[in-house]
Amino acid sequence: MNIDTVKNFTVEDYQNAYKNEEISPTEITQLFLDRIHLLDPSLRAFLTIDETGALQRARELEEKKFGEAEFPPLYGIPIAIKDNICIQGLPTTCGSRILSNYHSPFDATVIEKIKKAGGIFLGKTNMDEFAMGSSTENSGFGPTRNPFDPNRVPGGSSGGSAASVAALEAPLALGSDTGGSVRQPAAFCGIVGLRPTYGRVSRYGLISFASSLDQIGTLTRSVQDSRALFSVISGQDDRDSTCAPYPPFSSSDCLPEDEIKKMKVGVAKEYFSTGIDPSITQRIQEVLNILAKEGFEVVEVSLPHTDYALEAYYIVAPAEASSNLARYDGIAYGYRCHHPLNLQDLYTRTRTTGFGKEVLRRIILGTYCLSSGYYDEFYLKGMQVRTLVKKDFEESFEKCDILLTPTTPSMPFKFGEKSHDPYQMYLTDVFTIPSAMAGIPALSLNCGYHQHLPIGLQILGAPFQEGKIFSFASFLEKILSIPPPDIGSIHSKKEVL
Ligand code: GLN
């Protein structure tokens, strides 16, 4: 058994191999740990590697004997977890120095569910501090590299999770998406990223950035695996009052094969404006031509408020963040500055040294937008724009079943290319933010390459219509037949360094 054997494995393939006793959880866990030890010194996708915990869990699973029919759905599947999702006993830093000494005393709901389903946690992955960013360059612990090109960013903020799955350090990963942080890194790393409908997955145990936007999502090597992981983590949770009273996703939510081609595919002109890398537009157009040839009806729709969504997001998200991040004050947990002169000095120095530049920028921005006299002018306006963005989507889903857009306007960029200019960085999420503001589900699928770098196609659906998205994405994945990233053949460990 070596890594090449499993490079095209889906969760189902692992399950079958376990049932036939061709492999064991310990063997598979060790395989991925070895891979992490080989690649991660240069890739830097992980902030914590839980070797002991993972192997112990693998052994525990082996000791329990399951009958063929009762194998839990993620039995023996190693998973990487973004470092803003709490796993009991492990560090949860959120990519921030202010939480560098924090060990979570409890499990997030998604972690409990994955444990019950037989999953094995490999460790915690790197991210932009408090999930604010699009490149992992804002991590307090140094950036992750793009597995396709070590001089380029893997996207963000879930860059560590995306890179780990693309480089096959883990077969599956969890990330979080507030404005694009699952889909954009999935696009930059050539994998599948799902942001579910807001409220479909519990946020209990996900460290808050902007609570009305945050949602846990999946990063996987195939659409089928995204479905498998989503089925486990979705569903109502009494510990999260914003979690929708909806049952977990099940494969019966997908469309039967003969219904798939009856879906109407919407294309919004606002997503093909100037400013997009021409190689992305060209590839998306090729995919649309393929779909038309396959017999899909492609309709043009309009989402007129798209242009304002980004601006509104950068009011609403920082406003919520400024409130959520007030708890990091050096008192209850996390970093505390040395020798404070008084309480005010303790707060000020803890926060100005514990938080990085981007986080401080957003706290200032958010506090300003919420301050008396400016609340109506900024926050309220931002929320009104949000309603208009949502209405745009509602109206277009009366004309089509799913919408197709590019996931990002640019190809994976080089380190330092955008980090000096926050607005340029913010623009990389211009196509993922509107759907996040509307709370609708969206999936990014790799649809091809330009000069060996992946291009992401985004598939959007109406609220709770993940079934339609998966059905369409699986179909497209099959006809495009692009295999999951094969990083081993792109560069060896030495070249990555
Ligand atoms: N890049 C966006 C931001 O910086 C989105 C981040 C996210 O989805 N967590 O806010």
Side-chain angles (χ1 to χ4, degrees), residues 82 130-134 156-157 176-182 209 313-314 317 362 426 429 433:
K82 186 175 180 179
F130 283 98
M132 298 174 188
S134 311
S157 63
S176 68
D177 189 309
T178 303
S181 278
V182 162
F209 159 13
Y313 171 90
Y314 276 100
R362 296 204 193 189
Y426 297 169
D429 291 301
I433 278 177

Side-chain angles (χ1 to χ4, degrees), residues 29-217:
T29 306
Q30 194 60 57
L31 188 68
F32 283 100
L33 287 169
D34 291 347
R35 177 81 169 168
I36 293 171
H37 289 312
L38 177 73
L39 293 182
D40 221 55
S42 49
L43 196 62
R44 307 194 345 168
F46 282 86
L47 291 176
T48 301
I49 303 163
D50 186 20
E51 177 142 16
T52 319
L55 287 170
Q56 187 185 330
R57 193 139 165 75
R59 276 193 301 273
E60 281 165 16
L61 284 168
E62 277 161 20
E63 277 158 23
K64 284 191 202 150
K65 290 279 169 240
F66 294 102
E68 265 234 5
E70 55 192 41
F71 261 73
L74 296 178
Y75 177 86
I77 310 288
I79 304 177
I81 305 290
K82 186 175 180 179
D83 208 18
N84 58 352
I85 300 174
C86 292
I87 302 184
Q88 189 177 14
L90 288 189
T92 301
T93 70
C94 229
S96 180
R97 298 239 159 235
I98 212 158
L99 282 176
S100 52
N101 62 2
Y102 175 72
H103 282 64
S104 173
F106 70 105
D107 280 332
T109 296
V110 289
I111 297 299
E112 267 181 12
K113 288 186 172 193
I114 292 173
K115 271 189 184 166
K116 234 167 100 193
I120 295 171
F121 305 110
L122 293 169
K124 310 293 297 287
T125 55
N126 197 15
M127 56 183 283
D128 287 295
E129 185 175 10
F130 283 98
M132 298 174 188
S134 311
S135 65
T136 75
E137 288 168 296
N138 294 341
S139 166
F141 306 102
T144 299
R145 295 171 194 252
N146 189 311
F148 285 93
D149 178 346
N151 298 314
R152 290 175 194 269
V153 305
S157 63
S158 313
S161 284
S164 72
V165 171
L168 201 51
E169 292 182 335
L172 311 176
L174 285 186
S176 68
D177 189 309
T178 303
S181 278
V182 162
R183 293 161 284 162
Q184 187 256 23
F188 278 12
C189 291
I191 57 168
V192 179
L194 170 76
R195 175 196 165 93
T197 308
Y198 181 80
R200 192 107 208 234
V201 176
S202 168
R203 291 185 297 109
Y204 179 76
L206 166 70
I207 295 190
S208 302
F209 159 13
S211 310
S212 76
L213 293 152
D214 299 341
Q215 190 58 177
I216 292 175

